Amino acid sequence: MAGGQSIPGGRIDAHQHFWKYDPVKDAWITEQMSVLRKDYLPEHLEPLLQRNGVEGCVTVQADQSELETSFLLDQAERYSFIKGVVGWVDLQAGDVEARLDFFRKFKKLKGFRHILQGEAKRDLMLSPAFKNGIGLLGKNGFTYDILVFPDQLGFARELVQEFPDQKFILDHIGKPYIKFRKTSDWKRDIDSLAALPNVWCKVSGMVTEADWEHWKPADFIPYIDAVVEAFGVNRLLFGSDWPVCLVAGRYEDVVGLAENYFASFSKEEQQRFFGQNAIDFYQL
């Protein structure tokens, strides 16, 4: 179903990206992902949001630099539909407290993320320097997006457990191996992580973990079932992961997957999933 179905209340796309393509900075974009090797900017996303009844978005860092944070804040200043920014700051730096104090003045800056999935040290998030940075986020009013592969979910649980007053959110349901239909270890770790009340979860990024050319809507049902059961509807957020999702489908396809799955839920539950939970988590 193309995304056009009316959902009560304001819809928010809680996870997408912008960039001006640079082959050095964006070396993670492989030849197989060549559709992403161009600029993706607010003027490209805005008509997609309008066609799918989405009122606003949260834009998330894709590069590990403060220049990236400044770039996203600049876009948010220019486009009112960008409701929040998840930027990057060096959480391990000696001056991280001063940097967070600086960033507090930007009202649309809601939180930070580090691309932990790409770190050779799989438990980097448990290092003293990283945890020092995490410990400073809450007092400055910032959230933290957890981007990990399934092998790191146990470390993520340790981190979340150590900071019970910090708001965390798991990106892309922890990136399960949907293409290979693997669920058991991932589901066990999701259940364990979701038992901690200060962590939420984005139902996003699923099509890129599936078979890009041949996925079917049914492929995702066991994974969405698992996060609904683990987190409950009140801690789940819709995200498109645009433009990364374009390697495996259209924006409308991603919206349609979520609409179809949640069609049998109450209007209030749909409203929470498609918008209110994002507003509450990120204080939009």
Side-chain angles (χ1 to χ4, degrees):
M1 181 197 306
Q5 178 178 317
S6 176
I7 297 294
R11 275 186 172 189
I12 301 292
D13 181 342
H15 196 105
Q16 54 75 218
H17 308 283
F18 297 121
W19 60 70
K20 292 182 177 177
Y21 178 67
D22 176 276
V24 176
K25 174 178 70 72
D26 301 315
W28 62 273
I29 301 176
T30 63
E31 181 64 36
Q32 192 183 11
M33 306 165 81
S34 57
V35 67
L36 304 181
R37 289 181 166 175
K38 62 180 183 178
D39 295 352
Y40 285 96
L41 296 165
E43 58 262 36
H44 305 131
L45 177 63
E46 189 169 23
L48 295 175
L49 298 184
Q50 290 173 347
R51 283 205 297 272
N52 289 277
V54 181
E55 293 183 12
C57 66
V58 175
T59 191
V60 180
Q61 63 86 222
D63 183 57
Q64 314 258 65
S65 70
E66 285 196 11
L67 281 176
E68 171 85 341
T69 306
S70 298
F71 164 70
L72 295 178
L73 287 170
D74 181 59
Q75 303 306 309
E77 187 69 27
R78 295 170 56 203
Y79 293 89
S80 61
F81 73 84
I82 303 173
K83 304 300 183 186
V85 170
V86 176
W88 184 88
V89 69
D90 187 354
L91 291 170
Q92 302 176 85
D95 66 344
V96 62
E97 191 159 15
R99 299 311 298 151
L100 293 175
D101 187 57
F102 166 77
F103 281 123
R104 281 174 68 175
K105 67 185 179 185
F106 298 97
K107 298 304 181 190
K108 283 193 174 180
L109 185 58
K110 303 302 181 180
F112 292 96
R113 185 177 83 154
H114 185 87
I115 301 176
L116 289 165
Q117 69 174 36
E119 292 289 347
K121 183 173 169 52
R122 307 307 282 159
D123 62 348
L124 176 72
M125 67 194 87
L126 300 180
S127 68
F130 197 91
K131 289 195 293 186
N132 176 66
I134 292 288
L136 296 169
L137 292 178
K139 66 175 70 173
N140 288 283
F142 293 123
T143 62
Y144 184 75
D145 270 57
I146 301 171
L147 178 65
V148 293
F149 281 130
D151 69 296
Q152 297 168 296
L153 284 169
F155 303 135
R157 189 190 194 284
E158 286 186 57
L159 181 70
V160 170
Q161 191 169 26
E162 195 163 330
F163 296 95
D165 297 323
Q166 172 63 42
K167 289 170 74 176
F168 292 93
I169 190 160
L170 178 66
D171 290 347
H172 310 328
I173 67 172
K175 308 196 82 165
Y177 304 114
I178 298 172
K179 183 177 181 178
F180 304 105
R181 293 177 164 75
K182 291 186 177 180
T183 57
S184 58
D185 291 350
W186 167 82
K187 185 180 185 308
R188 177 200 64 214
D189 291 337
I190 284 289
D191 288 344
S192 180
L193 181 62
L196 302 171
N198 57 319
V199 61
W200 300 37
C201 179
K202 292 183 187 179
V203 179
S204 58
M206 295 187 301
V207 294
T208 55
E209 302 307 319
D211 183 328
W212 294 358
E213 303 293 334
H214 306 292
W215 61 261
K216 305 180 298 299
D219 296 341
F220 306 103
I221 290 175
Y223 299 92
I224 310 177
D225 281 348
V227 294
V228 169
E229 181 183 336
F231 288 94
V233 177
N234 291 346
R235 284 190 287 153
L236 293 179
L237 282 63
F238 166 74
S240 70
D241 199 26
W242 181 93
V244 183
C245 66
L246 299 179
V247 301
R250 304 169 305 150
Y251 189 91
E252 288 80 3
D253 295 330
V254 175
V255 173
L257 283 172
E259 283 181 345
N260 289 338
Y261 182 90
F262 287 95
S264 63
F265 286 62
S266 72
K267 291 299 183 187
E268 181 185 355
E269 288 171 326
Q270 292 180 51
Q271 186 175 355
R272 291 207 65 84
F273 172 73
F274 282 104
Q276 190 60 48
N277 291 343
I279 292 167
D280 292 347
F281 181 82
Y282 286 117
Q283 296 293 292
L284 303 181

